[in-house]
Amino acid sequence: MKILLPSFFTENGSQLVAVVLGTLNAISDGMQYGWTAPSIPKLRSPDSPVSMTHSEEVWLEIFYMVGGFIGLPFSITLIDCIGRKKTILFASVVGMLGWISIGIADNVYYLYAGRILLGVTADIAFTASPVYISEIAHQDIRGFLAGLIYLMMLVGIIIIYCIGPWVSICTSSIVGCSLLLIQLVLFPFMPESPYYLLYINENERAEKVLKFLRNNDNISKEIEEIKAAIVRQKSEKGRPQDLFQIKSNRKACLIMILLNYTQHFAGVSALLMNLHTILNQAGSEVISPDIAAIVFPSLMLISATVATLTVDYCGRKILLLVSGVVTTVTLLTIGAFFQLKSMGFPTGDYSWIIFVAVMFYAVGIKFGLAIVPIVMTAELFPAKVKGMGMALADFIYILSSMTSVYLYQWINFNYDLSVSFFVFSFLCALSTGLIQLYVPETKGRTLEEIQMILKNVKGEVLHDTRL
């Protein structure tokens, strides 16, 4: 397997460095995604610098998602107007302001402002960074490099879970801000996307960039392929309605909506935000909630790392299907346990089943459903509408996350806890079937070849599975 060979780092080191520096903001975003879990108990304490009511705590969680919606128009505009690289740097500046606002907060409005600014940062960064990665990466390792952004986010969640309970809010803010500062200092030395440079007719600069990224002077064939793709894609209109009116773009949108919807309605956000409650209701004494909160994202990181290392070897679709099956079974197991408990069965001696199922869930969900979508979304849209497509993907991601969490809370309020897991299990199984039928395999394909598949050129159909 190529990515495991020592030569991988010498042949692709330039791409790897650019991707790592371009995704440092994802670590910061991961810290902010998990920030409320260890921080709200601190804000409730008598010596908290900010006194808060319960409703203000709820708004503190919601405003992060609100920031994501505010960031959508910036994502659409900046990525094509100033380029992928500058958009990433702009997002980092906004994120630093957010962390500073939280770090110096002496009232709740500073916290609100910080959460909104960091939500804006996450939306812009998770639109620009995947596009940047997909356009600088060689097709043989594009899936591996694209998956790194999710690994970075998981690292951020682990960091905040590890330090959050034991350091001040100001200290954790300094850590998050420092990551973005490192990116602002080092990432400017990295190249802009050769696709974008050719798109704005900076041909000589694009050739130099591609030689640097490929560590090879023989890039004439790839340059010509990119130029041909740019010429064709420039001939296509880039209006927002073209995301739905052009058949290939409409297929890309439907696939993207399916993938982003599936990961959240498989319950990933609900479990991340309610893990302590689930373990406590199960009566599990296998491990304390604080330790489980570290083990859970750690297993996610390990699983996502394995998926990232194998996505260009095994393919995107097989990871999605295996992940869908494992996730469905674990959700069904958790639901069955709580159903038996609600019916009066003595489940005390078997509470370890919940801990095991939840940890298998962490492995299963991150093996495919929560790692492959960002890889494929960056591959599916042509250059002319890629910014709008990625922004739409992010909108669906945010909306699905909010809706799934609300659905989980509403079901638990009106019915038994087991019902929510049965619902998530059913939706996950249904989505896995749709993925098998309609999602194409993009492993080893150039971005141009993927467009040809979506356009159904030369008899290739959407569910092409030749690779």
Side-chain angles (χ1 to χ4, degrees):
M1 181 176 167
K2 185 177 180 180
I3 60 174
L4 296 180
L5 297 176
S7 61
F8 168 78
F9 297 100
T10 57
E11 295 174 0
N12 305 290
S14 299
Q15 297 174 64
L16 184 60
V17 172
V19 169
V20 169
L21 293 179
T23 55
L24 285 176
N25 46 24
I27 302 180
S28 170
D29 179 54
M31 290 182 63
Q32 191 58 209
Y33 189 81
W35 180 82
T36 53
S39 298
I40 285 182
K42 287 183 174 293
L43 294 171
R44 292 172 179 167
S45 65
D47 58 346
S48 169
V50 180
S51 58
M52 296 182 64
T53 64
H54 175 70
S55 63
E56 288 172 336
E57 292 175 4
V58 174
W59 279 109
L60 192 60
E61 295 186 351
I62 292 175
F63 274 131
Y64 182 64
M65 297 298 182
V66 171
F69 284 116
I70 294 174
L72 284 172
F74 291 99
S75 303
I76 296 171
T77 303
L78 294 178
I79 196 170
D80 289 326
C81 289
I82 66 174
R84 288 57 162 147
K85 177 180 170 182
K86 290 181 180 178
T87 301
I88 293 171
L89 292 171
F90 172 78
S92 296
V93 172
V94 176
M96 285 187 66
L97 295 175
W99 280 116
I100 291 171
S101 180
I102 291 174
I104 65 173
D106 58 3
N107 64 66
V108 71
Y109 298 105
Y110 279 95
L111 296 177
Y112 287 167
R115 291 284 283 175
I116 290 173
L117 287 172
L118 283 156
V120 171
T121 296
D123 184 87
I124 298 175
F126 268 77
T127 300
S129 294
V131 173
Y132 176 77
I133 295 169
S134 71
E135 293 181 347
I136 71 169
H138 189 275
Q139 66 193 58
D140 290 340
I141 60 168
R142 188 173 60 235
F144 164 70
L145 293 179
L148 286 180
I149 190 170
Y150 263 149
L151 300 188
M152 293 293 207
M153 183 179 179
L154 287 169
V155 169
I157 294 175
I158 293 172
I159 289 174
I160 196 64
Y161 281 179
C162 288
I163 70 173
W166 295 282
V167 303
S168 67
I169 290 175
C170 180
T171 300
S172 63
S173 298
I174 291 173
V175 174
C177 192
S178 298
L179 290 166
L180 296 178
L181 180 61
I182 292 171
Q183 185 174 53
L184 285 173
V185 171
L186 297 180
F187 190 56
F189 294 101
M190 295 296 102
E192 177 57 276
S193 157
Y195 267 80
Y196 178 75
L197 293 174
L198 288 172
Y199 189 77
I200 60 175
N201 298 316
E202 293 194 19
N203 294 0
E204 292 185 6
R205 188 178 166 197
E207 290 183 11
K208 291 180 180 179
V209 164
L210 198 58
K211 288 179 181 179
F212 169 76
L213 291 170
R214 300 295 180 261
N215 195 26
N216 193 331
D217 290 338
N218 186 21
I219 48 86
S220 57
K221 181 180 179 181
E222 187 172 358
I223 279 286
E224 291 305 315
E225 289 176 349
I226 297 174
K227 286 181 179 179
I230 293 294
V231 169
R232 183 187 62 76
Q233 291 167 5
K234 276 188 173 182
S235 68
E236 299 177 350
K237 296 179 180 180
R239 303 168 300 172
Q241 58 264 39
D242 290 331
L243 280 173
F244 306 100
Q245 291 180 350
I246 296 176
K247 185 177 180 180
S248 59
N249 292 343
R250 187 165 62 249
K251 288 180 179 179
C253 284
L254 292 173
I255 293 169
M256 173 274 300
I257 290 171
L258 172 63
L259 295 179
N260 282 280
Y261 149 88
T262 299
Q263 61 180 308
H264 288 295
F265 281 88
V268 64
S269 295
L271 264 78
L272 275 171
M273 295 179 184
N274 297 276
L275 182 61
H276 295 72
T277 303
I278 292 169
L279 292 175
N280 286 332
Q281 290 193 27
S284 176
E285 298 180 356
V286 176
I287 192 170
S288 71
D290 288 338
I291 301 300
I294 298 174
V295 175
F296 189 75
S298 297
L299 287 175
M300 283 186 163
L301 177 61
I302 294 171
S303 180
T305 301
V306 173
T308 302
L309 291 171
T310 58
V311 68
D312 286 313
Y313 179 75
C314 298
R316 284 68 160 147
K317 194 166 183 176
I318 187 64
L319 296 187
L320 286 169
L321 296 177
V322 171
S323 176
V325 171
V326 173
T327 303
T328 298
V329 171
T330 54
L331 288 169
L332 189 62
T333 301
I334 296 171
F337 178 91
F338 281 115
Q339 179 64 34
L340 291 173
K341 184 176 181 181
S342 67
M343 294 170 62
F345 283 85
T347 57
D349 293 338
Y350 304 98
S351 61
W352 57 269
I353 293 176
I354 288 295
F355 173 78
V356 172
V358 165
M359 296 310 158
F360 266 99
Y361 173 90
V363 173
I365 191 74
K366 281 298 178 182
F367 189 67
L369 292 179
I371 195 77
V372 173
I374 199 168
V375 175
M376 294 194 67
T377 302
E379 296 175 328
L380 292 173
F381 294 102
K384 191 68 175 178
V385 296
K386 185 164 285 188
M388 291 182 288
M390 293 299 294
L392 178 61
D394 206 41
F395 172 81
I396 297 299
Y397 182 93
I398 296 169
L399 183 63
S400 297
S401 177
M402 294 178 65
T403 306
S404 65
V405 171
Y406 176 80
L407 176 65
Y408 174 83
Q409 297 292 354
W410 182 85
I411 291 175
N412 291 346
F413 181 79
N414 291 280
Y415 304 97
D416 186 74
L417 179 61
S418 62
V419 177
S420 59
F421 287 101
F422 286 140
V423 170
F424 284 146
S425 179
F426 170 76
L427 293 175
C428 186
L430 177 63
S431 297
T432 301
L434 293 175
I435 288 170
Q436 167 63 22
L437 291 174
Y438 297 113
V439 174
E441 178 58 78
T442 60
K443 182 194 77 171
R445 304 277 191 175
T446 65
L447 298 181
E448 180 71 0
E449 287 173 338
I450 294 170
Q451 288 305 303
M452 293 301 101
I453 293 175
L454 295 175
K455 289 178 180 293
N456 200 22
V457 171
K458 294 182 180 180
E460 291 182 305
V461 295
L462 183 59
H463 52 276
D464 179 275
T465 55
R466 289 181 298 140
L467 293 180

